[in-house]
Amino acid sequence: MKGFTLEQMTDFTDFTRGGDLTEFLKQTNNVFNMNNCRSHPVRVSPDAQHIHAFLQKPKRGLVTFDRIQRVAVAQSPSYMDTGSALSIPIVELLYLDSGSKDSAALVAVILENGKAEFWKYVERKAGWDLLQTSDLCNSTSAKVVSVCSSGKFIIWCEERPASESASVFSAARNNFRYCICKRTYEREERAVRLGGVKTPLHNSPCYRVLAAREDVYLLPDNQEAAPGNGSKFFLIWSPKQDRMTISTVCKGALLSKTLHSTSKDSDYKTLISECIGMLATISPPEICSVAPTSCGGLLLVLSSGCISLLQSDGVLRQIYTLALSCPLDCSKHISMQIYGSTLACIVYRTLYLVDTSTGRLLENIALKTDGMLFLNSSEKNDIHFLSSTGMYVVKESGVDPTSKQLGRSDTAKPDAVLVEAVFEEACRYYQRRSLSSTQLTVEKLKSGGMFQAPIALSSILGVYMKTKKASELPQGGGGYSKLLASLGAELESLMALEQLKASVVSASDRKLSVSCETLVGQEVNRLLFSDLDRDNLLYLNVIFKTFPRESWQALQASLQLGSNGEGFLTAKAAPEVWKTVLSPVQAAPAPLSSGQQQASSNGAAPVFELICRSLFTFQPKWLPRFVELAQQQAGASSWNYGGKESPESVPLYKRALCVLPREGQAQELQVELLLCSQRPNAVMQAMRILLELRRWERVAEVAQRFSQQSPLLNKEIFTTLLCEVSQHRDLDPYLDLLWTLCPEDMTVTSILNIVLKSLPLCGREPGPFRTDRSQMSIGMLKPLLIKVLQRETKPSQRYADILQSPSFPPPTPPRQPRSVTEPAMATASPPLSSISSSVNDTSVDEGCSSPHHENK
């Protein structure tokens, strides 16, 4: 390809104090570190007519160098110098949008204490006039840490002082003492009118604000890193629409919200609360350098050495990778910008020119000194940079600069680098998924037959659609025909999709419906037979939401749903489909007693909930039976997703209940789902719902059906119905059934206690001859009480086998003769024979010594 040359535009001799500017640029170290420090030392105006230098040592101030337009007035120009005794640091110098190309330059110098000096360049005297000094912040104690301008807005990040009463335990809270503010401005003849201060985001960490066209990028400040997960993401804000997007380098856009500042300002923690879980699991690469572009995006240099373009929608597009990884100290020597379709990047006195459409390195040019790229508003597609020896522009040698754009020569065709680009992309794709530690190269990929399904680039598809036939494939071109042959299967699939879209556009309503049913059926069947990841699950949700009826028909075919002769649902789905249907959810749905249904972490409902929702919509009577079949499959399967439930898992019937509406029209279906689980708590919950609905016959049926399941459930059913009978007379036709449910361990006392505690409150004292027929009477309880009393008075059969034993009572063991010398047991009772003999041998005298005789 053709080479590039550098053309010097000026050596600063046509600038006021040009010699001082040259000496300043030579003596200043790292002058061109414009992408990383808050105090950038050099600024170039959009029209390249003014250069501003920030002085730091030994004296702090601002020095301006202007290009001399007329010699007559250049003898005594007025400079925009803030003096050498400036005690307050300068945060930024902004060129405000004038709205007209012929308007004079308007500059705002923003100080750290919130003061803003507005300067205007006067052409007739080739100097600057101070229009006014205004307070940018509402609070005098606020501190501006970063500022930019976008459209008619001035946006800044300010630090608000911490509360004096804050304790040492609130040190973490002090990290969130920053706010993002904005003000509108309007240019007048001799002044600048500022609008009111609005704070769209408060209680945030320290952010660096960068404007690119109409969007503002909020990046965590490197000097004060955001606490916790705050350094893992950045914000993209549209000031006009007040829309904030949370994005990361590795995952792209996570969430987008519209900030509502009418009632109160948006809180930072509230904004990011929905992304905390995902942010804790990611480890994005570190951002080494950033630069806003004229195309509206943000250039990023990552720690891996990759240069990527961050678009306003959160998409990160890789453009070029530097030869070496980029450490943090290397970022001080990087300056980059996009000019048309060419990326220009200066790294360590080397200028790289890269085609942004193909990622191809056009040329690298060695520079004698450090350089800083800048944009010239009159020549946006030409590469301009500033060095200590002057201003330069990059020209393509041998080409008229007005005829062609830089980097778009005839030799830079996509097919010349397409093969390498695709194989490099495929190499990175397989390397990330490989279990081997061996580095995979493009040569191994080409020779090993591993190149199966890389990302098909749009340019390949375009050429393939034009050729269509293998005989028409282009020859040569660096193996372009081999590349098309390698991607034949993928390209045929894409072509079939294009043909389907074309037939859908030109088809009638009937054919369109048939095509839609066929396509949805194929997609649903394919997804149900595969292991769903997050993206496919979200895709399945979109299908069910967009084509509900077609998805229901596809479900019937995939699960083989039908009814037998008795009207019950049958499902003859394959085990692979059941495995997908019953796969664990990432975030379990909420129980019945909670509020709204929860979804998985990416906002998609699990497959089981999707099927239940479709059944409820089109065939609600099948839903309880489907849950029963699912429970049977979960218990009998080898993978066993739902059979052995952990405390954290949610039963299938509760997951099915979450798809029902909270209103009362689905209470019958809710009862059936509770009963099909056959769990005691669910059965009692269904019983209470039926009692509230006054479905007495159904109550009796459920009680008779589930009373035999377990004694504990039978006792709870009996107690609940006895309490209900004590309050009204609607269950009187079913009293005989209720009495048969009385548990064996229930006593008359316990029955009467239950009845007395359940009696409704009366307005007057109960009397013996009340006429209120809704009151429970002893006569109604008489059959039950007689039955229980008979059971209590009847001899217990618990020890019947012992009582009927022929050897009861057991025989007395034989006694052993005791010797004379053996002492008698003090606690032993004398034998009956000895007692009788002693009584018979007692004399009358001894009997006269009784206490009765003495008293006499």
Side-chain angles (χ1 to χ4, degrees), residues 138-401:
N138 281 336
S139 175
T140 57
S141 59
K143 175 183 175 182
V144 179
V145 296
S146 179
V147 64
C148 67
S149 64
S150 175
K152 292 294 183 179
F153 293 96
I154 298 178
I155 299 101
W156 71 94
C157 175
E158 69 176 41
E159 177 186 0
R160 297 184 178 179
S163 175
E164 296 180 357
S165 61
S167 61
V168 293
F169 298 100
S170 62
R173 184 181 302 175
N174 292 335
N175 293 325
F176 299 93
R177 64 184 185 272
Y178 298 87
C179 299
I180 305 299
C181 307
K182 70 174 182 178
R183 294 186 76 166
T184 60
Y185 69 88
E186 185 176 351
R187 180 174 182 173
E188 296 179 350
E189 181 64 26
R190 294 294 302 170
V192 177
R193 185 166 57 186
L194 297 176
V197 177
K198 294 184 179 180
T199 309
L201 191 64
H202 62 93
N203 296 333
S204 71
C206 183
Y207 275 111
R208 180 184 174 196
V209 293
L210 296 171
R213 281 196 177 180
E214 297 181 353
D215 296 309
V216 177
Y217 298 85
L218 282 67
L219 277 73
D221 192 275
N222 291 333
Q223 298 180 3
E224 298 186 25
N229 298 324
S231 59
K232 295 183 177 182
F233 66 95
F234 46 85
L235 305 177
I236 305 174
W237 175 37
S238 175
K240 287 186 176 180
Q241 302 175 355
D242 264 345
R243 188 164 190 85
M244 192 77 72
T245 302
I246 303 175
S247 183
T248 63
V249 175
C250 55
K251 295 293 184 180
L254 301 181
L255 181 68
S256 183
K257 277 188 175 182
T258 300
L259 304 179
H260 300 284
S261 58
T262 54
S263 58
K264 62 178 182 178
D265 297 333
S266 299
D267 186 73
Y268 172 80
K269 296 181 181 178
T270 305
L271 175 67
I272 67 170
S273 59
E274 298 182 22
C275 303
I276 290 296
M278 180 173 290
L279 292 174
T281 61
I282 62 177
S283 299
E286 191 168 1
I287 300 175
C288 297
S289 181
V290 296
T293 65
S294 60
C295 61
L298 193 68
L299 283 172
L300 304 178
V301 179
L302 306 180
S303 56
S304 60
C306 175
I307 301 178
S308 303
L309 176 63
L310 176 65
Q311 300 175 169
S312 59
D313 54 359
V315 176
L316 191 70
R317 186 168 68 90
Q318 180 178 346
I319 298 179
Y320 185 71
T321 302
L322 298 174
L324 299 176
S325 59
C326 179
L328 291 178
D329 56 351
C330 169
S331 62
K332 299 179 180 180
H333 302 273
I334 295 179
S335 177
M336 51 190 172
Q337 188 55 258
I338 291 181
Y339 302 88
S341 62
T342 302
L343 166 67
C345 180
I346 297 178
V347 182
Y348 285 118
R349 297 188 178 183
T350 301
L351 174 62
Y352 294 88
L353 303 179
V354 181
D355 188 354
T356 58
S357 60
T358 62
R360 183 187 182 187
L361 178 63
L362 301 178
E363 190 167 338
N364 51 355
I365 304 173
L367 305 179
K368 296 181 179 180
T369 59
D370 291 329
M372 182 190 75
L373 295 165
F374 67 91
L375 284 170
N376 191 329
S377 58
S378 60
E379 300 174 348
K380 291 185 178 181
N381 292 332
D382 292 339
I383 301 174
H384 294 77
F385 70 91
L386 174 72
S387 72
S388 59
T389 58
M391 288 184 177
Y392 294 86
V393 60
V394 179
K395 297 291 185 180
E396 189 172 355
S397 59
V399 179
D400 185 4

Side-chain angles (χ1 to χ4, degrees), residues 90 155 169 401 405 497 529 566 591 604 692 726 746 766 791 794:
I90 298 175
I155 299 101
F169 298 100
Q405 188 179 343
L497 180 60
F529 273 91
E566 299 178 358
E692 292 178 0
S726 304
M746 190 70 70
R791 190 167 57 206
K794 186 177 179 180

Side-chain angles (χ1 to χ4, degrees), residues 534-680:
R534 290 181 178 179
D535 296 335
N536 286 332
L537 182 59
L538 184 61
Y539 175 45
L540 187 62
N541 276 256
V542 173
I543 292 177
F544 271 76
K545 184 178 180 180
T546 309
F547 308 100
R549 185 171 296 277
E550 291 80 2
S551 301
W552 164 243
Q553 295 175 357
L555 273 181
Q556 296 182 75
S558 299
L559 298 177
Q560 300 184 27
L561 300 179
S563 57
N564 55 13
E566 299 178 358
F568 292 105
L569 175 68
T570 60
K572 301 179 182 179
E576 295 84 0
V577 177
W578 280 116
K579 184 178 180 180
T580 303
V581 171
L582 301 177
S583 59
V585 295
Q586 298 170 355
L592 182 64
S593 59
S594 64
Q596 298 181 350
Q597 175 188 357
Q598 299 180 7
S600 56
S601 60
N602 62 344
V607 181
F608 182 78
E609 278 77 356
L610 285 177
I611 298 176
C612 291
R613 189 177 298 140
S614 186
L615 281 167
F616 175 74
T617 304
F618 298 99
Q619 198 65 263
K621 294 182 179 180
W622 286 3
L623 183 55
R625 177 59 181 167
F626 173 75
V627 175
E628 289 184 5
L629 295 175
Q631 291 176 157
Q632 295 173 7
Q633 290 291 332
S637 59
S638 58
W639 28 268
N640 200 354
Y641 279 150
K644 297 179 181 179
E645 295 170 351
S646 61
E648 294 82 8
S649 64
V650 178
L652 292 177
Y653 81 95
K654 287 189 177 182
R655 294 174 59 182
L657 285 171
C658 291
V659 306
L660 301 182
R662 298 300 173 185
E663 293 77 11
Q665 66 266 23
Q667 286 186 328
E668 281 291 336
L669 200 56
Q670 182 180 347
V671 170
E672 294 296 333
L673 288 174
L674 290 170
L675 294 178
C676 77
S677 68
Q678 298 185 358
R679 295 175 178 238

Side-chain angles (χ1 to χ4, degrees), residues 744 789-804:
E744 293 289 337
L789 284 173
Q790 290 176 353
R791 190 167 57 206
E792 291 180 356
T793 56
K794 186 177 179 180
S796 177
Q797 301 296 323
R798 181 175 301 177
Y799 305 103
D801 54 343
I802 300 177
L803 295 175
Q804 296 176 5

